[in-house]
Amino acid sequence: MHRVNQLVAHVRARVDAGEVAQAHRWLPGDAAGLFDGMPVADRRHGLDVSARLLAAGHDDPDLQAAALLHDAAKGHRMRLWHRVAGVILEAFAPGLLPRLASDDATSWRYPFHLYLHHAELSADLVRRVGCSARTAAFIRGSAGDDDARLQRALAEADDAS
């Protein structure tokens, strides 16, 4: 049922100007432009993850930037059907998904590469637009021991959103 709710949320996603302004307050450098260029469903998801973290008392600026931008690399190439197919393949044929993915950006199979590697790719993107190495580490899931609690909070908020 959780995945069905995610699908419905993806299709119905909206972001208003006030939410964009709120996101921009957390984002350094050119990161606001990266956020603005994300598909609306990914921006909505990032805002939802951010809100869950704030509700739990996590107002760390690097963590908030990671919440907002953790899916930045998915971009406009990854369509809804790629996401649905990725979830289904992970559940029922996990070995097939890596074989289906291609890192050739001109291939129709590239979105499956994005599906599998978006965390690393998103972390690289956020560094290029001025976010900290710590923000990138949160996105990669490789935050240090001092940030393990915040890393878990981000993962839980992401899974719940």
Side-chain angles (χ1 to χ4, degrees), residues 76-131:
H76 294 278
R77 289 279 309 271
M78 186 183 292
R79 304 281 190 220
L80 181 58
W81 76 268
H82 296 113
R83 295 166 194 249
V84 171
V87 168
I88 291 169
L89 288 171
E90 276 185 324
F92 298 106
L96 182 58
L97 189 55
R99 291 195 312 267
L100 183 61
S102 170
D103 63 359
D104 175 0
T106 64
S107 172
W108 68 271
R109 296 169 28 202
Y110 183 68
F112 296 109
H113 174 77
L114 293 174
Y115 181 89
L116 290 172
H117 302 285
H118 73 275
E120 183 68 31
L121 296 167
S122 294
D124 292 344
L125 273 175
V126 303
R127 289 295 287 148
R128 288 199 299 269
V129 297
C131 290

Short mmCIF file of all heavy atoms in Angstrom, two decimals, residues 76-131:
data_model
loop_
_atom_site.label_atom_id
_atom_site.label_comp_id
_atom_site.label_asym_id
_atom_site.label_seq_id
_atom_site.Cartn_x
_atom_site.Cartn_y
_atom_site.Cartn_z
N HIS A 76 14.72 14.71 -15.50
CA HIS A 76 13.56 14.56 -16.38
C HIS A 76 13.63 13.32 -17.26
O HIS A 76 12.66 12.99 -17.92
CB HIS A 76 13.39 15.82 -17.22
CG HIS A 76 13.04 17.01 -16.40
ND1 HIS A 76 11.77 17.29 -15.97
CD2 HIS A 76 13.82 17.99 -15.86
CE1 HIS A 76 11.76 18.38 -15.24
NE2 HIS A 76 13.01 18.82 -15.15
N ARG A 77 14.77 12.64 -17.27
CA ARG A 77 14.89 11.41 -18.07
C ARG A 77 14.18 10.23 -17.43
O ARG A 77 13.74 9.32 -18.10
CB ARG A 77 16.37 11.03 -18.25
CG ARG A 77 17.19 11.90 -19.15
CD ARG A 77 17.02 11.61 -20.64
NE ARG A 77 17.16 10.25 -21.08
CZ ARG A 77 18.30 9.66 -21.44
NH1 ARG A 77 19.43 10.33 -21.40
NH2 ARG A 77 18.30 8.41 -21.84
N MET A 78 14.11 10.23 -16.10
CA MET A 78 13.48 9.12 -15.41
C MET A 78 11.98 9.39 -15.31
O MET A 78 11.54 10.22 -14.53
CB MET A 78 14.07 8.90 -14.02
CG MET A 78 13.50 7.65 -13.36
SD MET A 78 14.10 7.37 -11.70
CE MET A 78 15.78 6.99 -12.03
N ARG A 79 11.23 8.69 -16.10
CA ARG A 79 9.79 8.84 -16.13
C ARG A 79 9.14 7.97 -15.06
O ARG A 79 9.78 7.10 -14.47
CB ARG A 79 9.24 8.46 -17.51
CG ARG A 79 9.85 9.22 -18.65
CD ARG A 79 9.25 10.58 -18.73
NE ARG A 79 9.68 11.22 -19.97
CZ ARG A 79 9.99 12.47 -20.05
NH1 ARG A 79 9.94 13.24 -19.00
NH2 ARG A 79 10.37 13.00 -21.20
N LEU A 80 7.86 8.19 -14.87
CA LEU A 80 7.13 7.42 -13.88
C LEU A 80 7.22 5.92 -14.16
O LEU A 80 7.40 5.12 -13.25
CB LEU A 80 5.66 7.89 -13.83
CG LEU A 80 4.76 7.19 -12.83
CD1 LEU A 80 5.30 7.32 -11.42
CD2 LEU A 80 3.35 7.75 -12.92
N TRP A 81 7.12 5.54 -15.42
CA TRP A 81 7.15 4.11 -15.72
C TRP A 81 8.51 3.50 -15.38
O TRP A 81 8.56 2.31 -14.99
CB TRP A 81 6.73 3.83 -17.17
CG TRP A 81 7.73 4.12 -18.24
CD1 TRP A 81 7.88 5.26 -18.95
CD2 TRP A 81 8.72 3.20 -18.75
NE1 TRP A 81 8.90 5.14 -19.87
CE2 TRP A 81 9.42 3.87 -19.77
CE3 TRP A 81 9.07 1.88 -18.44
CZ2 TRP A 81 10.46 3.28 -20.47
CZ3 TRP A 81 10.11 1.29 -19.14
CH2 TRP A 81 10.78 1.99 -20.15
N HIS A 82 9.60 4.27 -15.50
CA HIS A 82 10.91 3.75 -15.11
C HIS A 82 10.94 3.48 -13.60
O HIS A 82 11.50 2.48 -13.15
CB HIS A 82 12.03 4.75 -15.43
CG HIS A 82 12.22 5.02 -16.87
ND1 HIS A 82 11.94 6.25 -17.42
CD2 HIS A 82 12.66 4.24 -17.89
CE1 HIS A 82 12.21 6.21 -18.72
NE2 HIS A 82 12.64 5.00 -19.03
N ARG A 83 10.35 4.39 -12.86
CA ARG A 83 10.32 4.24 -11.40
C ARG A 83 9.50 3.03 -10.99
O ARG A 83 9.91 2.24 -10.13
CB ARG A 83 9.77 5.51 -10.75
CG ARG A 83 10.66 6.73 -10.97
CD ARG A 83 9.93 8.02 -10.62
NE ARG A 83 10.62 9.18 -11.13
CZ ARG A 83 11.23 10.08 -10.38
NH1 ARG A 83 11.23 9.97 -9.08
NH2 ARG A 83 11.84 11.09 -10.95
N VAL A 84 8.33 2.88 -11.61
CA VAL A 84 7.47 1.74 -11.31
C VAL A 84 8.18 0.44 -11.70
O VAL A 84 8.21 -0.52 -10.92
CB VAL A 84 6.11 1.88 -12.03
CG1 VAL A 84 5.30 0.60 -11.91
CG2 VAL A 84 5.33 3.07 -11.47
N ALA A 85 8.77 0.42 -12.89
CA ALA A 85 9.49 -0.77 -13.33
C ALA A 85 10.66 -1.07 -12.39
O ALA A 85 10.90 -2.25 -12.06
CB ALA A 85 9.99 -0.57 -14.76
N GLY A 86 11.37 -0.05 -11.94
CA GLY A 86 12.48 -0.25 -11.02
C GLY A 86 12.04 -0.89 -9.72
O GLY A 86 12.67 -1.84 -9.23
N VAL A 87 10.94 -0.39 -9.16
CA VAL A 87 10.42 -0.95 -7.91
C VAL A 87 10.00 -2.41 -8.11
O VAL A 87 10.32 -3.28 -7.28
CB VAL A 87 9.23 -0.10 -7.40
CG1 VAL A 87 8.49 -0.81 -6.28
CG2 VAL A 87 9.72 1.26 -6.94
N ILE A 88 9.31 -2.69 -9.20
CA ILE A 88 8.85 -4.05 -9.48
C ILE A 88 10.05 -4.98 -9.69
O ILE A 88 10.09 -6.09 -9.13
CB ILE A 88 7.90 -4.07 -10.68
CG1 ILE A 88 6.59 -3.38 -10.30
CG2 ILE A 88 7.64 -5.50 -11.17
CD1 ILE A 88 5.66 -3.10 -11.47
N LEU A 89 11.01 -4.54 -10.48
CA LEU A 89 12.19 -5.37 -10.73
C LEU A 89 12.99 -5.61 -9.46
O LEU A 89 13.47 -6.72 -9.23
CB LEU A 89 13.07 -4.74 -11.81
CG LEU A 89 12.50 -4.81 -13.22
CD1 LEU A 89 13.34 -3.96 -14.17
CD2 LEU A 89 12.41 -6.24 -13.71
N GLU A 90 13.14 -4.58 -8.62
CA GLU A 90 13.85 -4.77 -7.35
C GLU A 90 13.16 -5.83 -6.49
O GLU A 90 13.82 -6.63 -5.83
CB GLU A 90 13.92 -3.46 -6.57
CG GLU A 90 15.04 -2.57 -6.98
CD GLU A 90 15.14 -1.33 -6.12
OE1 GLU A 90 14.11 -0.79 -5.68
OE2 GLU A 90 16.27 -0.90 -5.89
N ALA A 91 11.84 -5.83 -6.52
CA ALA A 91 11.08 -6.76 -5.68
C ALA A 91 11.06 -8.19 -6.24
O ALA A 91 11.15 -9.15 -5.48
CB ALA A 91 9.66 -6.25 -5.51
N PHE A 92 10.93 -8.32 -7.55
CA PHE A 92 10.67 -9.64 -8.12
C PHE A 92 11.79 -10.21 -8.99
O PHE A 92 11.83 -11.41 -9.23
CB PHE A 92 9.37 -9.60 -8.93
CG PHE A 92 8.18 -9.28 -8.10
CD1 PHE A 92 7.58 -8.04 -8.18
CD2 PHE A 92 7.67 -10.20 -7.19
CE1 PHE A 92 6.48 -7.72 -7.39
CE2 PHE A 92 6.58 -9.90 -6.39
CZ PHE A 92 5.98 -8.65 -6.49
N ALA A 93 12.69 -9.35 -9.47
CA ALA A 93 13.80 -9.82 -10.31
C ALA A 93 15.01 -8.91 -10.09
O ALA A 93 15.47 -8.24 -11.01
CB ALA A 93 13.39 -9.84 -11.78
N PRO A 94 15.52 -8.88 -8.85
CA PRO A 94 16.57 -7.91 -8.52
C PRO A 94 17.83 -8.03 -9.37
O PRO A 94 18.51 -7.04 -9.61
CB PRO A 94 16.86 -8.17 -7.04
CG PRO A 94 16.28 -9.49 -6.75
CD PRO A 94 15.17 -9.73 -7.73
N GLY A 95 18.14 -9.19 -9.86
CA GLY A 95 19.32 -9.36 -10.69
C GLY A 95 19.16 -8.79 -12.09
O GLY A 95 20.15 -8.51 -12.77
N LEU A 96 17.93 -8.62 -12.53
CA LEU A 96 17.68 -8.11 -13.87
C LEU A 96 17.93 -6.61 -13.98
O LEU A 96 18.42 -6.14 -15.01
CB LEU A 96 16.24 -8.44 -14.28
CG LEU A 96 15.81 -8.02 -15.68
CD1 LEU A 96 16.71 -8.65 -16.73
CD2 LEU A 96 14.35 -8.40 -15.90
N LEU A 97 17.61 -5.87 -12.95
CA LEU A 97 17.72 -4.41 -13.01
C LEU A 97 19.15 -3.94 -13.34
O LEU A 97 19.31 -3.13 -14.25
CB LEU A 97 17.20 -3.78 -11.72
CG LEU A 97 17.06 -2.28 -11.70
CD1 LEU A 97 16.18 -1.77 -12.83
CD2 LEU A 97 16.50 -1.83 -10.35
N PRO A 98 20.18 -4.43 -12.69
CA PRO A 98 21.53 -3.98 -13.06
C PRO A 98 21.92 -4.37 -14.49
O PRO A 98 22.64 -3.64 -15.16
CB PRO A 98 22.44 -4.69 -12.05
CG PRO A 98 21.57 -5.07 -10.93
CD PRO A 98 20.20 -5.27 -11.49
N ARG A 99 21.42 -5.50 -14.96
CA ARG A 99 21.71 -5.91 -16.33
C ARG A 99 20.97 -5.05 -17.34
O ARG A 99 21.45 -4.84 -18.46
CB ARG A 99 21.38 -7.39 -16.53
CG ARG A 99 22.31 -8.31 -15.76
CD ARG A 99 22.24 -9.76 -16.21
NE ARG A 99 20.92 -10.32 -16.35
CZ ARG A 99 20.26 -10.98 -15.40
NH1 ARG A 99 20.80 -11.12 -14.21
NH2 ARG A 99 19.07 -11.48 -15.63
N LEU A 100 19.82 -4.55 -16.95
CA LEU A 100 19.02 -3.70 -17.83
C LEU A 100 19.60 -2.28 -17.92
O LEU A 100 19.50 -1.63 -18.95
CB LEU A 100 17.58 -3.64 -17.32
CG LEU A 100 16.57 -2.86 -18.12
CD1 LEU A 100 16.43 -3.43 -19.53
CD2 LEU A 100 15.22 -2.87 -17.42
N ALA A 101 20.21 -1.82 -16.85
CA ALA A 101 20.72 -0.45 -16.78
C ALA A 101 21.92 -0.25 -17.70
O ALA A 101 22.73 -1.16 -17.89
CB ALA A 101 21.12 -0.12 -15.35
N SER A 102 22.01 0.94 -18.27
CA SER A 102 23.16 1.32 -19.11
C SER A 102 23.61 2.71 -18.71
O SER A 102 22.78 3.62 -18.55
CB SER A 102 22.76 1.31 -20.59
OG SER A 102 23.79 1.88 -21.37
N ASP A 103 24.93 2.91 -18.60
CA ASP A 103 25.44 4.24 -18.27
C ASP A 103 25.65 5.10 -19.52
O ASP A 103 26.17 6.21 -19.44
CB ASP A 103 26.71 4.17 -17.43
CG ASP A 103 27.87 3.50 -18.15
OD1 ASP A 103 27.71 3.06 -19.30
OD2 ASP A 103 28.95 3.43 -17.54
N ASP A 104 25.20 4.61 -20.67
CA ASP A 104 25.22 5.38 -21.92
C ASP A 104 24.02 6.33 -21.90
O ASP A 104 22.88 5.90 -22.02
CB ASP A 104 25.13 4.43 -23.11
CG ASP A 104 25.02 5.14 -24.45
OD1 ASP A 104 25.01 6.40 -24.48
OD2 ASP A 104 24.93 4.43 -25.47
N ALA A 105 24.29 7.61 -21.73
CA ALA A 105 23.22 8.60 -21.58
C ALA A 105 22.31 8.70 -22.80
O ALA A 105 21.24 9.29 -22.71
CB ALA A 105 23.81 9.97 -21.25
N THR A 106 22.72 8.13 -23.93
CA THR A 106 21.87 8.18 -25.13
C THR A 106 20.95 6.97 -25.23
O THR A 106 20.10 6.92 -26.12
CB THR A 106 22.73 8.28 -26.41
OG1 THR A 106 23.51 7.08 -26.55
CG2 THR A 106 23.64 9.50 -26.36
N SER A 107 21.11 6.01 -24.33
CA SER A 107 20.34 4.77 -24.38
C SER A 107 18.99 4.91 -23.68
O SER A 107 18.87 5.61 -22.67
CB SER A 107 21.14 3.64 -23.71
OG SER A 107 20.35 2.48 -23.57
N TRP A 108 18.00 4.17 -24.19
CA TRP A 108 16.70 4.13 -23.52
C TRP A 108 16.82 3.45 -22.16
O TRP A 108 15.95 3.60 -21.30
CB TRP A 108 15.67 3.41 -24.39
CG TRP A 108 15.93 1.93 -24.55
CD1 TRP A 108 16.68 1.33 -25.52
CD2 TRP A 108 15.46 0.88 -23.71
NE1 TRP A 108 16.72 -0.03 -25.33
CE2 TRP A 108 15.97 -0.34 -24.23
CE3 TRP A 108 14.67 0.84 -22.56
CZ2 TRP A 108 15.71 -1.57 -23.64
CZ3 TRP A 108 14.40 -0.40 -21.99
CH2 TRP A 108 14.92 -1.59 -22.52
N ARG A 109 17.93 2.74 -21.93
CA ARG A 109 18.14 2.04 -20.67
C ARG A 109 18.82 2.91 -19.61
O ARG A 109 18.94 2.52 -18.45
CB ARG A 109 18.98 0.79 -20.93
CG ARG A 109 18.24 -0.20 -21.83
CD ARG A 109 19.10 -1.33 -22.34
NE ARG A 109 20.20 -1.67 -21.48
CZ ARG A 109 21.30 -2.29 -21.89
NH1 ARG A 109 21.44 -2.64 -23.14
NH2 ARG A 109 22.27 -2.57 -21.04
N TYR A 110 19.23 4.12 -19.98
CA TYR A 110 19.92 5.02 -19.06
C TYR A 110 19.08 5.36 -17.81
O TYR A 110 19.64 5.41 -16.70
CB TYR A 110 20.35 6.30 -19.78
CG TYR A 110 21.14 7.24 -18.92
CD1 TYR A 110 22.42 6.91 -18.47
CD2 TYR A 110 20.62 8.48 -18.54
CE1 TYR A 110 23.15 7.77 -17.67
CE2 TYR A 110 21.34 9.34 -17.74
CZ TYR A 110 22.60 8.98 -17.31
OH TYR A 110 23.32 9.84 -16.52
N PRO A 111 17.79 5.59 -17.92
CA PRO A 111 17.02 5.88 -16.70
C PRO A 111 17.12 4.78 -15.63
O PRO A 111 17.01 5.07 -14.44
CB PRO A 111 15.59 6.04 -17.21
CG PRO A 111 15.77 6.54 -18.61
CD PRO A 111 16.97 5.77 -19.12
N PHE A 112 17.35 3.54 -16.04
CA PHE A 112 17.53 2.48 -15.05
C PHE A 112 18.88 2.62 -14.34
O PHE A 112 19.01 2.28 -13.17
CB PHE A 112 17.36 1.10 -15.69
CG PHE A 112 15.97 0.89 -16.21
CD1 PHE A 112 15.72 0.86 -17.57
CD2 PHE A 112 14.90 0.76 -15.35
CE1 PHE A 112 14.44 0.69 -18.06
CE2 PHE A 112 13.61 0.59 -15.82
CZ PHE A 112 13.39 0.56 -17.19
N HIS A 113 19.87 3.14 -15.05
CA HIS A 113 21.15 3.48 -14.43
C HIS A 113 20.92 4.59 -13.39
O HIS A 113 21.44 4.51 -12.27
CB HIS A 113 22.15 3.92 -15.51
CG HIS A 113 23.43 4.44 -14.97
ND1 HIS A 113 24.42 3.61 -14.48
CD2 HIS A 113 23.89 5.71 -14.84
CE1 HIS A 113 25.44 4.35 -14.07
NE2 HIS A 113 25.15 5.62 -14.28
N LEU A 114 20.14 5.59 -13.77
CA LEU A 114 19.82 6.67 -12.83
C LEU A 114 19.09 6.11 -11.61
O LEU A 114 19.37 6.53 -10.47
CB LEU A 114 18.95 7.73 -13.50
CG LEU A 114 19.59 8.55 -14.61
CD1 LEU A 114 18.56 9.45 -15.27
CD2 LEU A 114 20.75 9.36 -14.08
N TYR A 115 18.17 5.21 -11.83
CA TYR A 115 17.41 4.60 -10.74
C TYR A 115 18.38 3.94 -9.74
O TYR A 115 18.24 4.12 -8.53
CB TYR A 115 16.43 3.57 -11.29
CG TYR A 115 15.58 2.91 -10.25
CD1 TYR A 115 14.36 3.46 -9.86
CD2 TYR A 115 15.99 1.74 -9.62
CE1 TYR A 115 13.58 2.86 -8.88
CE2 TYR A 115 15.22 1.13 -8.65
CZ TYR A 115 14.02 1.70 -8.28
OH TYR A 115 13.25 1.11 -7.31
N LEU A 116 19.34 3.21 -10.26
CA LEU A 116 20.27 2.47 -9.40
C LEU A 116 21.34 3.35 -8.76
O LEU A 116 21.81 3.05 -7.67
CB LEU A 116 20.95 1.36 -10.20
CG LEU A 116 20.08 0.19 -10.61
CD1 LEU A 116 20.84 -0.72 -11.56
CD2 LEU A 116 19.61 -0.58 -9.38
N HIS A 117 21.75 4.41 -9.45
CA HIS A 117 22.91 5.18 -9.01
C HIS A 117 22.60 6.64 -8.70
O HIS A 117 23.52 7.45 -8.61
CB HIS A 117 24.01 5.10 -10.09
CG HIS A 117 24.43 3.71 -10.39
ND1 HIS A 117 25.23 2.96 -9.54
CD2 HIS A 117 24.14 2.89 -11.43
CE1 HIS A 117 25.41 1.76 -10.05
NE2 HIS A 117 24.76 1.69 -11.20
N HIS A 118 21.33 6.96 -8.52
CA HIS A 118 20.99 8.37 -8.34
C HIS A 118 21.59 8.97 -7.08
O HIS A 118 21.87 10.17 -7.05
CB HIS A 118 19.47 8.59 -8.38
CG HIS A 118 18.75 8.11 -7.16
ND1 HIS A 118 18.33 6.82 -7.00
CD2 HIS A 118 18.37 8.79 -6.05
CE1 HIS A 118 17.74 6.70 -5.83
NE2 HIS A 118 17.74 7.88 -5.23
N ALA A 119 21.83 8.20 -6.05
CA ALA A 119 22.39 8.76 -4.82
C ALA A 119 23.80 9.30 -5.09
O ALA A 119 24.11 10.46 -4.75
CB ALA A 119 22.41 7.72 -3.70
N GLU A 120 24.63 8.48 -5.70
CA GLU A 120 26.00 8.91 -6.01
C GLU A 120 26.00 10.07 -7.00
O GLU A 120 26.72 11.06 -6.83
CB GLU A 120 26.82 7.74 -6.57
CG GLU A 120 28.26 8.08 -6.84
CD GLU A 120 29.07 8.33 -5.59
OE1 GLU A 120 28.78 7.75 -4.53
OE2 GLU A 120 30.01 9.15 -5.66
N LEU A 121 25.17 9.97 -8.02
CA LEU A 121 25.09 11.03 -9.03
C LEU A 121 24.54 12.33 -8.44
O LEU A 121 25.03 13.42 -8.76
CB LEU A 121 24.24 10.56 -10.21
CG LEU A 121 24.81 9.37 -11.00
CD1 LEU A 121 23.75 8.79 -11.93
CD2 LEU A 121 26.06 9.77 -11.75
N SER A 122 23.54 12.22 -7.57
CA SER A 122 22.99 13.40 -6.91
C SER A 122 24.02 14.05 -5.99
O SER A 122 24.14 15.28 -5.94
CB SER A 122 21.73 13.05 -6.11
OG SER A 122 20.69 12.63 -6.96
N ALA A 123 24.79 13.22 -5.28
CA ALA A 123 25.84 13.75 -4.40
C ALA A 123 26.87 14.53 -5.22
O ALA A 123 27.30 15.62 -4.80
CB ALA A 123 26.50 12.61 -3.64
N ASP A 124 27.24 14.01 -6.37
CA ASP A 124 28.18 14.74 -7.23
C ASP A 124 27.59 16.06 -7.72
O ASP A 124 28.28 17.08 -7.75
CB ASP A 124 28.58 13.87 -8.44
CG ASP A 124 29.42 12.67 -8.05
OD1 ASP A 124 29.96 12.64 -6.93
OD2 ASP A 124 29.52 11.74 -8.88
N LEU A 125 26.32 16.03 -8.09
CA LEU A 125 25.65 17.26 -8.55
C LEU A 125 25.63 18.32 -7.46
O LEU A 125 25.91 19.50 -7.73
CB LEU A 125 24.20 16.95 -8.95
CG LEU A 125 23.91 16.49 -10.35
CD1 LEU A 125 22.43 16.14 -10.49
CD2 LEU A 125 24.28 17.56 -11.35
N VAL A 126 25.28 17.95 -6.25
CA VAL A 126 25.16 18.96 -5.19
C VAL A 126 26.50 19.58 -4.85
O VAL A 126 26.56 20.77 -4.52
CB VAL A 126 24.43 18.44 -3.92
CG1 VAL A 126 23.05 17.90 -4.27
CG2 VAL A 126 25.24 17.43 -3.15
N ARG A 127 27.57 18.81 -4.96
CA ARG A 127 28.90 19.39 -4.73
C ARG A 127 29.21 20.44 -5.79
O ARG A 127 29.79 21.48 -5.49
CB ARG A 127 29.97 18.28 -4.73
CG ARG A 127 29.93 17.40 -3.52
CD ARG A 127 30.26 18.13 -2.23
NE ARG A 127 31.69 18.40 -2.20
CZ ARG A 127 32.23 19.47 -1.62
NH1 ARG A 127 31.49 20.36 -1.02
NH2 ARG A 127 33.52 19.66 -1.64
N ARG A 128 28.83 20.17 -7.03
CA ARG A 128 29.12 21.10 -8.13
C ARG A 128 28.34 22.40 -7.99
O ARG A 128 28.74 23.41 -8.57
CB ARG A 128 28.81 20.45 -9.48
CG ARG A 128 29.83 19.39 -9.85
CD ARG A 128 29.84 19.07 -11.33
NE ARG A 128 28.61 18.54 -11.84
CZ ARG A 128 28.30 17.25 -11.91
NH1 ARG A 128 29.14 16.35 -11.47
NH2 ARG A 128 27.16 16.86 -12.41
N VAL A 129 27.23 22.41 -7.26
CA VAL A 129 26.44 23.64 -7.12
C VAL A 129 26.64 24.32 -5.77
O VAL A 129 25.89 25.24 -5.43
CB VAL A 129 24.93 23.40 -7.41
CG1 VAL A 129 24.72 22.95 -8.83
CG2 VAL A 129 24.32 22.43 -6.40
N GLY A 130 27.63 23.90 -5.01
CA GLY A 130 27.99 24.63 -3.81
C GLY A 130 27.59 24.02 -2.49
O GLY A 130 27.82 24.62 -1.44
N CYS A 131 27.03 22.83 -2.49
CA CYS A 131 26.70 22.19 -1.21
C CYS A 131 27.96 21.59 -0.60
O CYS A 131 28.94 21.31 -1.29
CB CYS A 131 25.65 21.09 -1.42
SG CYS A 131 24.01 21.72 -1.83
#
